[in-house]
Amino acid sequence: MSDIPPEGSAPFEVVETAVTDDAAFQAYARERGWSDGLPMLAPTVERVEAMLATVDAPPDHVVATLAPSNRRATLADIAANAVMAGGSPDRFPVAVAAIAAVADPAFNLEAVQTTTHTVSTLVFVNGPVRGSGFNSGAGMFGTGNEANATTGRAVRLCLQNIGGARSPNPDRSTQGSPAKFTYCGAEAEEDNPWEPLHVQRGFAADVSTVTVFGGESPHNIQDHVSTEPAGILHTAAGTIGAIGSNNVYYGGEILVLLCPEHAATIADGGWTRNDVQGFLFQHARNSLRELKRGGMWGMQWWPEWFYAVDEDALLPVVREPEDLVIVVAGGPGKHSSCVHSWGATRSVTRPVLTEHLSRLDAT
């Protein structure tokens, strides 16, 4: 950059950096508050331009305004952070779509960025763009996959460096989360016996999309013995209904990631996705008496009818069956998972575009 901004200001209004050597850039980034603690690549003009070449819009095109700083995220800003994350240009449009999605008011970005909760932004990919290296199978949220790791990290760096969410203020997360480094996966659409997530949300199967979900780290659901749908889903309901989750008190969505083996067993039993949602809605419950023991009692946002029931009545962990978002992902091994959300946030799906980028603002 030709003019070095003060620490904490938007660093990439001009993408040229005074330090182009990757080794020297580490200290340079730390001094300016740009680092997430991991090694970074210097956002040189050449690297940033390679990112920008994958989208048909000028570098100063404003993709979103990011809370809590309320700074504008231009394509150049996003590209510089994607370079620092180690990202590849062919996956840059995914990061751009994710930044457009988190700015949707339904996502409630300011709350997600500033809460004491562990919430982070999960970037979930559907459609043909998965073929650019995204892992939807074994170890999807783990190590070893460049596309998942760098795309999730690029979005996180944008939320930190443009949105301003640095710990301990204004990111006040009590314990933080490893998902605040990177959090990205893709759906195993070929293993989904029902419609994949983006098709459920009105997109054609051949359209690439990204969904952002304000959630915790995944919580394991293991069932190695059930041979019928109800057995697997009883196990899942017990995990989903955890009384320590925000969803119990605030509502919102829960992402249910069924592994291919569990999904196949459920579908082979004749169950539809709606059946899965209905079963989990009915069984992932806790009594009002239990919920009054602690948790967030007295702070909850509940429908009025919740207060009118007997103390032994079972209350749902979400408000509607559709708030249980069902996807299929992972490899063999009969481990599924759920991702509880912060509660007062809704997932948002946007198309991944490589041209006519202004459509992102209107979709």
Side-chain angles (χ1 to χ4, degrees):
M1 299 173 63
S2 55
D3 295 312
I4 304 303
E7 183 175 352
S9 67
F12 300 116
E13 293 173 359
V14 181
V15 296
E16 184 178 1
T17 180
V19 179
T20 58
D21 177 76
D22 289 331
F25 181 72
Q26 310 312 310
Y28 183 84
R30 286 195 300 271
E31 290 169 1
R32 284 152 182 80
W34 304 344
S35 175
D36 59 0
L38 296 175
M40 312 175 91
L41 296 181
T44 63
V45 171
E46 294 76 15
R47 288 169 173 171
V48 169
E49 287 179 345
M51 294 285 180
L52 294 172
T54 65
V55 292
D56 185 17
D60 61 355
H61 176 86
V62 178
V63 175
T65 299
L66 298 183
S69 71
N70 294 322
R71 296 191 185 107
R72 296 179 301 173
T74 67
L75 281 173
D77 296 333
I78 301 169
N81 281 281
V83 169
M84 292 198 302
S88 171
D90 63 342
R91 294 185 284 269
F92 177 60
V94 176
V96 174
I99 294 303
V102 298
D104 189 302
F107 189 71
N108 196 6
L109 180 61
E110 180 154 7
V112 168
Q113 293 262 74
T114 61
T115 179
T116 53
H117 189 258
T118 64
V119 59
S120 188
T121 301
L122 168 58
V123 178
F124 201 73
V125 181
N126 278 96
V129 75
R130 295 176 305 130
S132 60
F134 288 95
N135 179 18
S136 62
M140 178 180 69
F141 290 133
T143 60
N145 181 268
E146 178 186 338
N148 293 30
T150 60
T151 303
R153 189 185 183 200
V155 173
R156 281 298 310 166
L157 287 177
C158 287
L159 295 178
Q160 169 185 295
N161 293 329
I162 307 170
R166 295 182 177 86
S167 182
N169 184 40
D171 179 355
R172 300 178 179 88
S173 182
T174 303
Q175 294 185 334
S177 167
K180 287 181 179 284
F181 283 105
T182 181
Y183 203 7
C184 179
E187 182 159 18
E189 296 177 15
E190 296 77 10
D191 295 320
N192 190 334
W194 312 294
E195 292 178 330
L197 178 60
H198 67 313
V199 176
Q200 296 172 36
R201 297 190 166 189
F203 294 93
D206 62 354
V207 172
S208 294
T209 67
V210 61
T211 299
V212 292
F213 187 91
E216 303 174 0
S217 297
H219 195 305
N220 186 53
I221 300 170
Q222 66 171 336
D223 188 327
H224 295 278
V225 299
S226 293
T227 58
E228 299 293 333
I232 294 170
L233 295 176
H234 268 296
T235 302
T239 304
I240 292 167
I243 63 174
S245 74
N246 271 25
N247 296 103
V248 171
Y249 304 93
Y250 287 170
E253 297 170 310
I254 297 176
L255 181 64
V256 182
L257 298 119
L258 295 174
C259 71
E261 289 168 287
H262 284 165
T265 297
I266 294 167
D268 289 347
W271 289 42
T272 66
R273 176 174 52 83
N274 288 343
D275 292 333
V276 172
Q277 291 172 313
F279 185 97
L280 293 175
F281 181 72
Q282 291 299 325
H283 290 84
R285 297 192 173 210
N286 298 283
S287 70
L288 180 59
R289 186 184 306 277
E290 276 296 307
L291 296 179
K292 284 184 175 181
R293 292 180 183 273
M296 297 178 71
W297 174 250
M299 302 170 62
Q300 65 274 359
W301 304 337
W302 281 350
E304 288 189 9
W305 71 266
F306 274 32
Y307 297 92
V309 299
D310 181 270
E311 290 210 340
D312 290 318
L314 298 177
L315 302 181
V317 69
V318 293
R319 304 301 175 254
E320 304 288 343
E322 294 74 22
D323 292 336
L324 294 155
V325 181
I326 312 298
V327 300
V328 177
K334 297 189 176 182
H335 288 266
S336 293
S337 65
C338 65
V339 176
H340 292 92
S341 74
W342 183 73
T345 177
R346 309 295 296 191
S347 59
V348 176
T349 302
R350 289 286 182 269
V352 176
L353 302 169
T354 56
E355 56 185 14
H356 307 305
L357 194 68
S358 60
R359 286 173 52 199
L360 280 169
D361 304 319
T363 303

PDB file of all heavy atoms in Angstrom, residues 124 135-143 145 148 184-188 257 328-330:
ATOM      1  N   PHE A 124     -20.936 -22.763   2.914  1.00  0.00           N
ATOM      2  CA  PHE A 124     -21.320 -24.085   2.419  1.00  0.00           C
ATOM      3  C   PHE A 124     -21.611 -23.995   0.926  1.00  0.00           C
ATOM      4  O   PHE A 124     -22.407 -23.160   0.484  1.00  0.00           O
ATOM      5  CB  PHE A 124     -22.548 -24.585   3.179  1.00  0.00           C
ATOM      6  CG  PHE A 124     -22.729 -26.073   3.120  1.00  0.00           C
ATOM      7  CD1 PHE A 124     -21.902 -26.915   3.843  1.00  0.00           C
ATOM      8  CD2 PHE A 124     -23.720 -26.624   2.336  1.00  0.00           C
ATOM      9  CE1 PHE A 124     -22.064 -28.286   3.785  1.00  0.00           C
ATOM     10  CE2 PHE A 124     -23.886 -28.004   2.269  1.00  0.00           C
ATOM     11  CZ  PHE A 124     -23.063 -28.834   2.999  1.00  0.00           C
ATOM     12  N   ASN A 135     -14.025 -30.125  -0.889  1.00  0.00           N
ATOM     13  CA  ASN A 135     -14.222 -31.449  -0.299  1.00  0.00           C
ATOM     14  C   ASN A 135     -15.601 -31.522   0.336  1.00  0.00           C
ATOM     15  O   ASN A 135     -15.929 -30.734   1.224  1.00  0.00           O
ATOM     16  CB  ASN A 135     -13.152 -31.718   0.758  1.00  0.00           C
ATOM     17  CG  ASN A 135     -13.323 -33.078   1.415  1.00  0.00           C
ATOM     18  OD1 ASN A 135     -14.001 -33.953   0.893  1.00  0.00           O
ATOM     19  ND2 ASN A 135     -12.691 -33.270   2.568  1.00  0.00           N
ATOM     20  N   SER A 136     -16.412 -32.483  -0.113  1.00  0.00           N
ATOM     21  CA  SER A 136     -17.715 -32.733   0.481  1.00  0.00           C
ATOM     22  C   SER A 136     -17.764 -34.087   1.172  1.00  0.00           C
ATOM     23  O   SER A 136     -18.812 -34.497   1.659  1.00  0.00           O
ATOM     24  CB  SER A 136     -18.805 -32.681  -0.595  1.00  0.00           C
ATOM     25  OG  SER A 136     -18.586 -33.697  -1.577  1.00  0.00           O
ATOM     26  N   GLY A 137     -16.616 -34.774   1.193  1.00  0.00           N
ATOM     27  CA  GLY A 137     -16.581 -36.133   1.703  1.00  0.00           C
ATOM     28  C   GLY A 137     -15.879 -36.262   3.038  1.00  0.00           C
ATOM     29  O   GLY A 137     -16.002 -35.405   3.916  1.00  0.00           O
ATOM     30  N   ALA A 138     -15.125 -37.334   3.199  1.00  0.00           N
ATOM     31  CA  ALA A 138     -14.462 -37.621   4.474  1.00  0.00           C
ATOM     32  C   ALA A 138     -13.560 -36.470   4.887  1.00  0.00           C
ATOM     33  O   ALA A 138     -12.805 -35.929   4.085  1.00  0.00           O
ATOM     34  CB  ALA A 138     -13.647 -38.905   4.353  1.00  0.00           C
ATOM     35  N   GLY A 139     -13.656 -36.071   6.156  1.00  0.00           N
ATOM     36  CA  GLY A 139     -12.809 -35.019   6.678  1.00  0.00           C
ATOM     37  C   GLY A 139     -13.128 -33.633   6.155  1.00  0.00           C
ATOM     38  O   GLY A 139     -12.265 -32.753   6.163  1.00  0.00           O
ATOM     39  N   MET A 140     -14.362 -33.417   5.719  1.00  0.00           N
ATOM     40  CA  MET A 140     -14.732 -32.159   5.057  1.00  0.00           C
ATOM     41  C   MET A 140     -14.348 -30.924   5.865  1.00  0.00           C
ATOM     42  O   MET A 140     -13.864 -29.940   5.311  1.00  0.00           O
ATOM     43  CB  MET A 140     -16.240 -32.150   4.803  1.00  0.00           C
ATOM     44  CG  MET A 140     -16.767 -30.894   4.171  1.00  0.00           C
ATOM     45  SD  MET A 140     -18.557 -30.956   3.907  1.00  0.00           S
ATOM     46  CE  MET A 140     -19.159 -30.896   5.605  1.00  0.00           C
ATOM     47  N   PHE A 141     -14.567 -30.956   7.173  1.00  0.00           N
ATOM     48  CA  PHE A 141     -14.254 -29.809   8.016  1.00  0.00           C
ATOM     49  C   PHE A 141     -12.847 -29.893   8.618  1.00  0.00           C
ATOM     50  O   PHE A 141     -12.477 -29.056   9.446  1.00  0.00           O
ATOM     51  CB  PHE A 141     -15.272 -29.674   9.152  1.00  0.00           C
ATOM     52  CG  PHE A 141     -16.638 -29.240   8.702  1.00  0.00           C
ATOM     53  CD1 PHE A 141     -17.768 -29.895   9.161  1.00  0.00           C
ATOM     54  CD2 PHE A 141     -16.805 -28.178   7.825  1.00  0.00           C
ATOM     55  CE1 PHE A 141     -19.039 -29.500   8.768  1.00  0.00           C
ATOM     56  CE2 PHE A 141     -18.071 -27.776   7.414  1.00  0.00           C
ATOM     57  CZ  PHE A 141     -19.194 -28.441   7.888  1.00  0.00           C
ATOM     58  N   GLY A 142     -12.089 -30.884   8.208  1.00  0.00           N
ATOM     59  CA  GLY A 142     -10.765 -31.080   8.770  1.00  0.00           C
ATOM     60  C   GLY A 142      -9.668 -30.518   7.893  1.00  0.00           C
ATOM     61  O   GLY A 142      -9.873 -29.600   7.085  1.00  0.00           O
ATOM     62  N   THR A 143      -8.490 -31.084   8.039  1.00  0.00           N
ATOM     63  CA  THR A 143      -7.313 -30.573   7.350  1.00  0.00           C
ATOM     64  C   THR A 143      -7.128 -31.234   5.989  1.00  0.00           C
ATOM     65  O   THR A 143      -7.791 -32.218   5.656  1.00  0.00           O
ATOM     66  CB  THR A 143      -6.058 -30.828   8.194  1.00  0.00           C
ATOM     67  OG1 THR A 143      -5.920 -32.251   8.399  1.00  0.00           O
ATOM     68  CG2 THR A 143      -6.152 -30.133   9.532  1.00  0.00           C
ATOM     69  N   ASN A 145      -7.436 -30.028   2.768  1.00  0.00           N
ATOM     70  CA  ASN A 145      -8.081 -29.596   1.535  1.00  0.00           C
ATOM     71  C   ASN A 145      -7.914 -28.097   1.355  1.00  0.00           C
ATOM     72  O   ASN A 145      -8.395 -27.296   2.164  1.00  0.00           O
ATOM     73  CB  ASN A 145      -9.569 -29.957   1.554  1.00  0.00           C
ATOM     74  CG  ASN A 145     -10.267 -29.540   0.260  1.00  0.00           C
ATOM     75  OD1 ASN A 145     -10.809 -28.453   0.175  1.00  0.00           O
ATOM     76  ND2 ASN A 145     -10.212 -30.394  -0.749  1.00  0.00           N
ATOM     77  N   ASN A 148     -11.401 -25.820   0.713  1.00  0.00           N
ATOM     78  CA  ASN A 148     -12.193 -25.574   1.912  1.00  0.00           C
ATOM     79  C   ASN A 148     -11.457 -24.632   2.860  1.00  0.00           C
ATOM     80  O   ASN A 148     -12.031 -23.671   3.389  1.00  0.00           O
ATOM     81  CB  ASN A 148     -12.503 -26.885   2.632  1.00  0.00           C
ATOM     82  CG  ASN A 148     -13.419 -27.798   1.847  1.00  0.00           C
ATOM     83  OD1 ASN A 148     -13.421 -27.801   0.620  1.00  0.00           O
ATOM     84  ND2 ASN A 148     -14.197 -28.598   2.548  1.00  0.00           N
ATOM     85  N   CYS A 184     -15.613 -24.106   6.205  1.00  0.00           N
ATOM     86  CA  CYS A 184     -16.133 -24.228   4.846  1.00  0.00           C
ATOM     87  C   CYS A 184     -16.314 -25.699   4.497  1.00  0.00           C
ATOM     88  O   CYS A 184     -15.480 -26.543   4.850  1.00  0.00           O
ATOM     89  CB  CYS A 184     -15.174 -23.564   3.853  1.00  0.00           C
ATOM     90  SG  CYS A 184     -15.680 -23.663   2.119  1.00  0.00           S
ATOM     91  N   GLY A 185     -17.406 -26.003   3.827  1.00  0.00           N
ATOM     92  CA  GLY A 185     -17.659 -27.355   3.357  1.00  0.00           C
ATOM     93  C   GLY A 185     -18.512 -27.324   2.107  1.00  0.00           C
ATOM     94  O   GLY A 185     -18.878 -26.256   1.602  1.00  0.00           O
ATOM     95  N   ALA A 186     -18.834 -28.499   1.599  1.00  0.00           N
ATOM     96  CA  ALA A 186     -19.660 -28.620   0.404  1.00  0.00           C
ATOM     97  C   ALA A 186     -20.581 -29.816   0.571  1.00  0.00           C
ATOM     98  O   ALA A 186     -20.277 -30.754   1.320  1.00  0.00           O
ATOM     99  CB  ALA A 186     -18.786 -28.792  -0.841  1.00  0.00           C
ATOM    100  N   GLU A 187     -21.709 -29.775  -0.118  1.00  0.00           N
ATOM    101  CA  GLU A 187     -22.646 -30.888  -0.006  1.00  0.00           C
ATOM    102  C   GLU A 187     -22.250 -32.026  -0.933  1.00  0.00           C
ATOM    103  O   GLU A 187     -21.849 -31.806  -2.082  1.00  0.00           O
ATOM    104  CB  GLU A 187     -24.073 -30.441  -0.320  1.00  0.00           C
ATOM    105  CG  GLU A 187     -25.066 -31.585  -0.161  1.00  0.00           C
ATOM    106  CD  GLU A 187     -26.500 -31.144   0.048  1.00  0.00           C
ATOM    107  OE1 GLU A 187     -26.832 -29.980  -0.263  1.00  0.00           O
ATOM    108  OE2 GLU A 187     -27.291 -31.979   0.517  1.00  0.00           O
ATOM    109  N   ALA A 188     -22.382 -33.262  -0.431  1.00  0.00           N
ATOM    110  CA  ALA A 188     -22.164 -34.458  -1.242  1.00  0.00           C
ATOM    111  C   ALA A 188     -23.445 -34.733  -2.015  1.00  0.00           C
ATOM    112  O   ALA A 188     -24.212 -35.651  -1.686  1.00  0.00           O
ATOM    113  CB  ALA A 188     -21.775 -35.634  -0.358  1.00  0.00           C
ATOM    114  N   LEU A 257     -26.275 -32.267   9.302  1.00  0.00           N
ATOM    115  CA  LEU A 257     -25.446 -32.840   8.251  1.00  0.00           C
ATOM    116  C   LEU A 257     -25.467 -34.358   8.385  1.00  0.00           C
ATOM    117  O   LEU A 257     -24.773 -34.941   9.208  1.00  0.00           O
ATOM    118  CB  LEU A 257     -24.017 -32.305   8.361  1.00  0.00           C
ATOM    119  CG  LEU A 257     -23.866 -30.798   8.181  1.00  0.00           C
ATOM    120  CD1 LEU A 257     -23.285 -30.174   9.448  1.00  0.00           C
ATOM    121  CD2 LEU A 257     -22.979 -30.473   7.003  1.00  0.00           C
ATOM    122  N   VAL A 328     -26.578 -33.412   3.118  1.00  0.00           N
ATOM    123  CA  VAL A 328     -25.816 -34.671   3.158  1.00  0.00           C
ATOM    124  C   VAL A 328     -24.360 -34.355   2.876  1.00  0.00           C
ATOM    125  O   VAL A 328     -24.033 -33.685   1.884  1.00  0.00           O
ATOM    126  CB  VAL A 328     -26.364 -35.685   2.130  1.00  0.00           C
ATOM    127  CG1 VAL A 328     -25.517 -36.957   2.126  1.00  0.00           C
ATOM    128  CG2 VAL A 328     -27.822 -36.018   2.440  1.00  0.00           C
ATOM    129  N   ALA A 329     -23.472 -34.812   3.741  1.00  0.00           N
ATOM    130  CA  ALA A 329     -22.045 -34.534   3.580  1.00  0.00           C
ATOM    131  C   ALA A 329     -21.234 -35.538   4.385  1.00  0.00           C
ATOM    132  O   ALA A 329     -21.725 -36.137   5.345  1.00  0.00           O
ATOM    133  CB  ALA A 329     -21.714 -33.115   4.035  1.00  0.00           C
ATOM    134  N   GLY A 330     -19.976 -35.714   3.993  1.00  0.00           N
ATOM    135  CA  GLY A 330     -19.072 -36.583   4.724  1.00  0.00           C
ATOM    136  C   GLY A 330     -18.777 -37.873   3.988  1.00  0.00           C
ATOM    137  O   GLY A 330     -19.258 -38.108   2.867  1.00  0.00           O
TER     138      GLY A 330
END
